[in-house]
Amino acid sequence: MLKGKTALITGGSRGIGAAIARAMAAQGANVALVYAGNQQAAEEVAGQCAALGVTAKSYQCDVADFAAVKALVAAVKEDFGSIQILVNCAGINADGLILSMKEEAFDRVVAANLKGTFNLIRHCSPLFLRAREGCIINVSSVAGLMGNAGQANYAAAKAGIVGLTKSVARELAPRGVTCNAIAPGFIRTDMTAGLEDSPLVANIPLGRMGTAEEVADLAVFLAGAGYITGEVIRIDGGIAM
Ligand code: NAP
């Protein structure tokens, strides 16, 4: 379904991003994986993708760094020829109640999640507009839709991604470029390690955490859905309905 396309996937070394990379590679997409510091994990995922018969390569880049992202996009274009799919999945959290949240924790979380998403879109958009083809998938969170006590920084960043997604969708639609967001609930990854037995999970209507592969299936669907744009799709076992 994605044969011959190139997907640039941030956060591709672990968790949801790694699952998206494998799922897109299984559909024939070449994949450029971006990681922050975990080179070994990124190379492992790239190897798993390459074993599916596509071209796969990993790139170290802090998505919060505007100039570094510019260089990253240029390098991926040079290596792969073009980019058709952008998945903004890199993210971090640094939880704490608002009364004790440090300025640094707010800035760091907004920089990685929201500014990082802006940086990638900003530098990939010229390629998409010129080619009149492109699909942007941003990973938000149900925290950005309904808030979450102890995650004011993270929820603000993820809510920002929703506004960013809809604005970019409106701007790029005339050239056939789509921009959508995925809002996961509790997905079993390093980020949610230790939450399995928490009351939060007991409150999920479907009674369990989601898997990274389930989110990846949704990303693959969006990558092939040319008539959906500006949409935010929850994948959360019903927790935010
Ligand atoms: P994860 O397992 O902790 O993986 C995070 C990924 O982001 C890693 O690949 C990491 O690279 C990369 N990353 C972090 N900061 C970066 C930066 N500044 N520059 C480049 N890469 C960076 O997280 P996950 O659970 O898969 O989450 C993936 C996305 O889904 C995040 O945006 C998260 O907010 C969102 N999300 C997750 C859940 C959940 O329940 N898990 C729910 C809602 C939304 P390294 O490996 O090099 O550190």
Side-chain angles (χ1 to χ4, degrees), residues 11-17 34-38 61-64 89-92 112-113 139-141 154 158 184-187 189-192:
S13 51
R14 287 187 285 131
I16 294 171
V34 181
Y35 65 98
N38 219 324
C61 178
D62 177 0
V63 296
C89 192
I92 56 165
N113 291 280
V139 181
S140 175
S141 165
Y154 182 78
K158 294 303 193 184
F186 291 97
I187 309 300
T189 68
D190 293 346
M191 191 179 270
T192 52

Side-chain angles (χ1 to χ4, degrees), residues 29-68:
N30 298 316
V31 289
L33 311 175
V34 181
Y35 65 98
N38 219 324
Q39 183 179 6
Q40 195 184 334
E43 283 177 3
E44 220 167 276
V45 178
Q48 292 163 350
C49 294
L52 294 165
V54 301
T55 303
K57 195 170 168 194
S58 62
Y59 299 80
Q60 192 286 325
C61 178
D62 177 0
V63 296
D65 182 332
F66 188 80

Side-chain angles (χ1 to χ4, degrees), residues 154-208:
Y154 182 78
K158 294 303 193 184
I161 288 176
V162 171
L164 177 63
T165 298
K166 293 185 181 189
S167 301
V168 169
R170 287 184 187 278
E171 285 188 33
L172 305 190
R175 295 279 183 104
V177 178
T178 62
C179 184
N180 293 290
I182 291 174
F186 291 97
I187 309 300
R188 198 174 293 109
T189 68
D190 293 346
M191 191 179 270
T192 52
L195 281 185
E196 280 85 355
D197 299 324
S198 91
L200 292 170
V201 173
N203 284 335
I204 298 171
L206 282 175
R208 65 171 177 86

Side-chain angles (χ1 to χ4, degrees), residues 72-136:
L72 164 78
V73 172
V76 173
K77 183 170 181 295
E78 174 76 21
D79 293 346
F80 288 81
S82 59
I83 303 167
Q84 286 79 25
I85 300 163
L86 167 64
V87 182
N88 283 303
C89 192
I92 56 165
N93 59 348
D95 299 352
L97 296 172
I98 193 69
L99 284 178
S100 55
M101 186 172 287
K102 300 253 188 314
E103 181 186 12
E104 178 276 333
F106 186 88
D107 289 346
R108 186 158 48 91
V109 168
V110 170
N113 291 280
L114 179 56
K115 190 174 177 220
T117 301
F118 161 75
N119 287 342
L120 267 297
I121 293 174
R122 175 66 184 79
H123 293 302
C124 285
S125 290
L127 307 181
F128 294 162
L129 288 174
R130 227 172 289 130
R132 294 182 171 267
E133 180 184 13
C135 164
I136 302 167

